Amino acid sequence: MKIRLQQISKTFSGFKAVDGVSLDIASGKLVALLGPSGSGKTTILRMVAGLEFPDAGTIHFGSENATGIPVAKRGVGFVFQHYALFPHMTLAENIAFGMESLQPKRSREEVAAKVAELLQLVRLHGLGERFPGQISGGQRQRVALARALAVEPKVLLLDEPFGALDAAVRRDLRRWLREIHDELGITTLFVTHDQEEALDLADEVVILRDGKIVQAGSPQDVTRQPVSAFVMNFLGDTNRIAVTVSAGIARLGEARFAAEGLADGAAELYARPRDLAWRADGKGVPARVRRVLDRPDSRRLVVQTAAGQHIELDTAPEDPVRPGDAGAVDVLRWRIFADDGAAG
């Protein structure tokens, strides 16, 4: 089922939570809405679900204008962060609840068969008679997904589905959710504030800021070709290094970098720690090591340039570099944006 949002807006108490958002989601795709708190991602999800209605604009499911259709008739499955399971019902009863409410003509045998099929799908076969309090958080989230799928939705919506779980469980469930999506092919829209989660799971990532889309594209697009300082800064660790642009060239000490299209004046060079290399031979931007932070698969160097700027970069775990060593930072990949405060 294709979803089309056309210039949707929503205001709460004078605050514009969503401001003229347009987005096409192709049938069968898994799309992540990503952004900081207050960026409008959950409000968009709730409007797609029918839990909120836009003040302006339209929402289409395929060729149907779904803007005014209430949630019960919209054909969506919704998974919340905190499961929202009924504690007094067994897992099987929780999964069956939506079917019995929205599809009352189904026989008990049909409902039982569907519940068994879904428990198998979410890898909880044989646990249907347990109660939510008797299983783990990760298993409860699987039950919540099974319940959402039970009504055979046209669209699956997930609001921070793994936010209440620890990191190891989240990683396992991310892989599992992607496998389920590929198997079922349901158009899926999910909200997250976790950049790694969005990049690992989604076919397309939509980055929001102040109720507007600032960039949308594949994980490769948004990570390799960020369109603004905000996107670059938002998507993971990055160094912001002051440079001066003149005639399309950015200067950092004696180093020179292409900065075509930027006006002369102050700018910032953005480079991720893995886009930099430490050179003991001094070829690059001269610097001195201030701290060495050991990680399981690398060493993080905190260095200071001659101009007093601090830069963080990653090197191999066996690299013998120590605090106090002199050398240089070799900038392998970078982006340069005007210094206009857009990164915050």
Side-chain angles (χ1 to χ4, degrees):
M1 174 67 68
K2 180 179 180 179
I3 304 173
R4 170 169 286 181
L5 313 181
Q6 293 181 303
Q7 291 294 309
I8 62 169
S9 296
K10 184 68 178 179
T11 300
F12 296 103
S13 302
F15 170 73
K16 186 158 278 190
V18 178
D19 187 4
V21 165
S22 293
L23 178 66
D24 284 343
I25 300 172
S27 180
K29 294 297 183 181
L30 196 158
V31 175
L33 298 179
L34 178 64
S37 297
S39 60
K41 53 191 186 293
T42 294
T43 301
I44 291 172
L45 195 77
R46 290 176 63 83
M47 286 192 285
V48 173
L51 296 170
E52 302 281 356
F53 294 97
D55 300 326
T58 58
I59 299 169
H60 284 79
F61 286 2
S63 59
E64 180 181 27
N65 187 340
T67 311
I69 297 175
V71 60
K73 297 182 179 180
R74 199 168 287 204
V76 301
F78 208 117
V79 179
F80 299 91
Q81 176 177 340
H82 294 291
Y83 326 124
L85 300 179
F86 298 110
H88 63 285
M89 291 184 180
T90 66
L91 307 188
E93 289 169 341
N94 267 281
I95 295 170
F97 180 81
M99 284 187 286
E100 293 170 340
S101 300
L102 300 177
Q103 300 168 346
K105 293 183 179 180
R106 281 196 171 190
S107 68
R108 288 186 177 181
E109 292 76 15
E110 287 178 313
V111 171
K114 186 65 175 180
V115 169
E117 176 188 332
L118 288 167
L119 283 169
Q120 183 76 36
L121 179 70
V122 300
R123 301 176 187 169
L124 294 174
H125 177 68
L127 301 184
E129 295 309 307
R130 293 192 185 183
F131 289 88
Q134 296 174 316
I135 60 175
S136 70
Q139 289 173 320
R140 287 196 290 272
Q141 195 57 283
R142 292 184 184 201
V143 175
L145 179 60
R147 184 179 59 185
L149 294 173
V151 296
E152 299 174 351
K154 306 174 199 173
V155 175
L156 181 62
L157 306 174
L158 303 102
D159 187 10
E160 300 274 7
F162 310 134
L165 305 171
D166 64 48
V169 175
R170 285 203 306 269
R171 284 193 296 271
D172 288 343
L173 285 182
R174 285 204 297 263
R175 288 191 292 268
W176 168 79
L177 178 60
R178 184 69 226 196
E179 290 172 3
I180 294 290
H181 175 268
D182 291 343
E183 181 177 343
L184 300 178
I186 298 176
T187 305
T188 301
L189 184 64
F190 80 100
V191 161
T192 181
H193 67 276
D194 186 322
Q195 296 95 330
E196 182 179 295
E197 185 170 283
L199 296 172
D200 283 357
L201 264 175
D203 298 307
E204 182 176 1
V205 178
V206 179
I207 301 172
L208 294 141
R209 185 189 192 195
D210 298 332
K212 297 181 179 181
I213 295 174
V214 293
Q215 187 169 0
S218 69
Q220 183 178 19
D221 291 337
V222 298
T223 54
R224 300 293 177 262
Q225 297 295 327
V227 298
S228 68
F230 169 79
V231 174
M232 182 78 186
N233 198 57
F234 182 70
L235 291 177
D237 289 349
T238 189
N239 293 283
R240 297 167 57 183
I241 306 167
V243 295
T244 302
V245 174
S246 178
I249 299 295
R251 291 168 171 77
L252 175 58
E254 298 301 316
R256 301 290 183 266
F257 305 92
E260 295 180 6
L262 286 182
D264 290 357
E268 287 185 315
L269 181 148
Y270 286 72
R272 304 198 186 282
R274 293 194 179 187
D275 292 337
L276 307 171
W278 179 248
R279 298 286 298 267
D281 59 14
K283 294 181 180 178
V285 179
R288 186 175 295 277
V289 177
R290 293 304 182 196
R291 294 187 66 198
V292 178
L293 310 176
D294 281 294
R295 309 283 170 81
D297 58 352
S298 67
R299 307 190 85 192
R300 173 67 58 89
L301 308 185
V302 182
V303 307
Q304 186 175 13
T305 69
Q309 298 190 82
H310 285 84
I311 299 173
E312 295 190 12
L313 63 146
D314 292 334
T315 189
E318 65 274 8
D319 195 320
V321 66
R322 296 179 299 179
D325 286 356
V329 177
D330 189 7
V331 183
L332 308 176
R333 290 173 293 276
W334 69 91
R335 304 282 290 179
I336 298 175
F337 297 103
D339 183 9
D340 59 1

